[in-house]
Amino acid sequence: MKIICVGRNYADHAKELKNDLPTEPVLFMKPKTAVLLPGKPLYYPEFTDDLHYECELVIRISKNGKHIQEKFASKYYDAITLGIDFTARDKQREQQKKGLPWEIAKAFDGSAAVGTFIPVTETTDLNQLLFRLDKNGETVQQGNTSDMIFSVDKIIAFASCYFTFNIGDLLFTGTPAGVGPVAVNDKLEGYLAGEKLLHVDIR
Ligand code: MG
């Protein structure tokens, strides 16, 4: 099982981190050991002083495939939830400055928190989903998937040219603006279309 993630998929977030808008999806991966199961706390890692939340729509792959055409991409997933792409922002900046890979900043244990999955039904429109993240009861991020630069189906088409998708793989689809730091004892809660699906305590 692997986790494919998209960076800079919302223009307002790319801007807040002073990145150029991408012309094709920016992909990176996290290993299976990065998964933080629903309800589990994240222990603040000792290697960072600037751990950030990035709340994202997460797609669960339900069918193996490679070179998936965009028009068939929706046949390859069956469930969605919200997740947090935890990022050691200080480590990421150091790595970026040196032109080095991001894994130590983004793929560490527990860095891919996921909520409870809900099924994708015929009425689910992945291009019109509102979601938000609350930190200690206050909304810190609000997104609408209609603001994605690359839609879920476009990302799947692009990524599957490089990586075979397998059943159970996860796709993190990028974060809207409002990313920020967490501290020990913070409580993060994610709501998709008004429904609470995600809860992570920082310990
Ligand atoms: Mg992200």
Side-chain angles (χ1 to χ4, degrees), residues 6-7 13 28 54 56 85 87 106 174-175:
V6 186
H13 169 64
F28 60 96
E54 294 187 0
E56 314 197 354
D85 166 20
T87 303
K106 275 193 171 278
T175 198

Side-chain angles (χ1 to χ4, degrees), residues 90-199:
D90 45 358
K91 282 273 173 264
Q92 187 192 27
R93 292 221 167 89
E94 280 168 36
Q95 295 298 97
Q96 279 175 330
K97 215 184 287 170
K98 297 184 212 156
L100 293 172
W102 287 356
E103 277 83 352
I104 63 166
K106 275 193 171 278
F108 53 86
D109 290 358
S111 60
V114 290
T116 307
F117 281 90
I118 55 170
V120 173
T121 65
E122 274 164 29
T123 57
T124 314
D125 182 359
L126 289 194
N127 300 312
Q128 288 289 345
L129 282 175
L130 284 166
F131 62 100
R132 73 171 208 265
L133 180 72
D134 288 2
K135 183 172 95 168
N136 305 327
E138 204 172 299
T139 300
V140 287
Q141 278 193 289
Q142 252 177 331
N144 187 329
T145 56
S146 65
D147 293 326
M148 284 182 176
I149 299 172
F150 304 104
S151 69
V152 169
D153 291 354
K154 274 206 168 65
I155 296 164
I156 289 173
F158 179 83
S160 69
C161 295
Y162 297 88
F163 313 112
T164 298
F165 277 102
N166 290 132
I167 296 171
D169 286 349
L170 300 179
L171 179 65
F172 276 63
T173 58
T175 198
V179 301
V182 293
V184 171
N185 295 326
D186 278 352
K187 183 167 110 172
L188 301 172
E189 292 165 303
Y191 294 80
L192 180 63
E195 190 182 351
K196 184 176 157 182
L197 297 181
L198 173 83
H199 181 142

